């Protein structure tokens, strides 16, 4: 298994990037939040998962090991393939997915294109004991540190624009992967850019 790739970013597309590793260009399919953290010509490291099919080998890339782990666990649910698992991580950060599954938040899961009511119920049933508890995930990831400042600022901005607190919570969860990719790349998440992404997420609900 190819667990990670590291090298210079040669190209970035709508849903993938090419990372040059030892003179070989590796095509890696990524969620928008991960792609947002990459820059052509700059070095990058992505955690990866290789999906083997009879007719193809497809490499999926993530900003963190936790995203890769959740990506692989999501596919143990009936009807969830790599494309749908990646779409779930494009809409929700790993811990937001844990929260949605643990709390049986069907509405949050159906925000993902391709997941309907029955599919969301099946995912909750099959994954509730696999993804881990949200609290444990947070403790492991940030050792009890306070939530990032950008979360409160984006949430406050959305509420100030007239959205409900619940809608703001869902929008913040939708842009978490984008913010985490910035952090993983050593950059500070820009609240203005995240707010725009959150508004786009709300507009397509």
């Amino acid at each position: 298994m190819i667990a990670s790739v590291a090298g210079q970013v040669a190209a970035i597309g709508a849903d993938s990037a090419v990372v040059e590793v030892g003179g070989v260009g590796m095509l890696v399919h990524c969620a928008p939040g991960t792609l947002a953290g990459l820059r052509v010509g700059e070095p990058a490291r992505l955690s990866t998962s290789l999906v083997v099919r009879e007719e193809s080998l497809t490499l999926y890339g993530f900003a963190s090991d936790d995203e890769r782990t959740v990506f692989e666990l999501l596919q143990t649910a009936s009807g969830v393939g790599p494309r749908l698992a990646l779409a779930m991580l494009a809409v929700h950060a790993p811990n937001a997915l844990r929260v949605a599954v643990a709390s049986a938040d069907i509405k949050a899961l159906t925000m993902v294109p391709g997941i309907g009511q029955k599919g969301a119920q099946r995912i909750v049933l099959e994954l509730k004991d696999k993804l881990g508890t949200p609290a444990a995930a947070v403790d492991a990831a940030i050792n009890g540190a306070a939530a990032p400042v950008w979360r409160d600022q984006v949430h406050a901005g959305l509420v100030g624009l007239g959205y409900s607190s619940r809608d703001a919570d869902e929008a913040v969860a939708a842009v978490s992967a984008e913010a985490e990719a910035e952090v993983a790349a050593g950059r500070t998440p820009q609240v203005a850019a995240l707010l725009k992404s959150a508004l786009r997420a709300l507009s397509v609900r």
Side-chain angles (χ1 to χ4, degrees), residues 92-109:
H92 298 296
N95 200 56
L97 284 171
R98 291 186 177 100
V99 171
V101 171
S103 62
D105 189 344
I106 302 302
K107 182 179 179 181
L109 292 173

Side-chain angles (χ1 to χ4, degrees), residues 95 135 137-149 151-152:
N95 200 56
V138 171
D139 288 342
I142 61 176
N143 295 319
V149 173
R151 290 180 181 274
D152 291 337

Side-chain angles (χ1 to χ4, degrees), residues 17 72 75 79 119 129 169 182:
E72 293 173 346
Q75 293 175 72
D129 296 322
D169 285 340
E182 288 293 291

Side-chain angles (χ1 to χ4, degrees), residues 5-183:
V5 297
Q8 187 178 76
V9 179
I12 300 174
D15 61 359
S16 63
V18 176
V19 180
E20 289 192 353
V21 182
V24 177
M26 307 286 286
L27 180 66
V28 187
H29 294 270
C30 306
T34 300
L35 292 173
L38 304 178
R39 298 291 184 274
V40 173
E42 294 186 4
R45 179 192 179 279
L46 296 173
S47 296
T48 57
S49 178
L50 180 64
V51 176
V52 180
R53 296 286 186 265
E54 184 175 345
E55 72 286 355
S56 65
L57 298 174
T58 307
L59 196 61
Y60 293 87
F62 310 92
S64 69
D65 290 344
D66 189 38
E67 286 187 15
R68 179 187 63 201
T69 297
V70 171
F71 171 78
E72 293 173 346
L73 287 172
L74 289 172
Q75 293 175 72
T76 65
S78 303
V80 178
R83 288 289 184 180
L84 184 55
L86 192 65
M88 294 174 73
L89 285 166
V91 175
H92 298 296
N95 200 56
L97 284 171
R98 291 186 177 100
V99 171
V101 171
S103 62
D105 189 344
I106 302 302
K107 182 179 179 181
L109 292 173
T110 55
M111 288 174 65
V112 179
I115 297 182
Q117 186 86 6
K118 290 184 178 179
Q121 292 171 344
R122 184 175 61 250
I123 288 169
V124 168
L125 181 64
E126 296 184 14
L127 296 181
K128 63 181 179 180
D129 296 322
K130 293 183 178 181
L131 289 183
T133 61
V138 171
D139 288 342
I142 61 176
N143 295 319
V149 173
W150 69 264
R151 290 180 181 274
D152 291 337
Q153 293 176 335
V154 172
H155 189 279
L158 292 170
V159 171
L161 290 171
Y163 290 95
S164 69
S165 181
R166 181 181 178 82
D167 285 343
D169 285 340
E170 293 176 353
V172 166
V175 301
S176 291
E178 180 179 337
E180 290 166 2
E182 288 293 291
V183 173

Side-chain angles (χ1 to χ4, degrees), residues 175-203:
V175 301
S176 291
E178 180 179 337
E180 290 166 2
E182 288 293 291
V183 173
R187 293 185 290 269
T188 300
Q190 298 300 305
V191 173
L194 292 172
L195 185 57
K196 288 181 180 178
S197 296
L199 289 170
R200 284 196 295 271
L202 288 168
S203 70

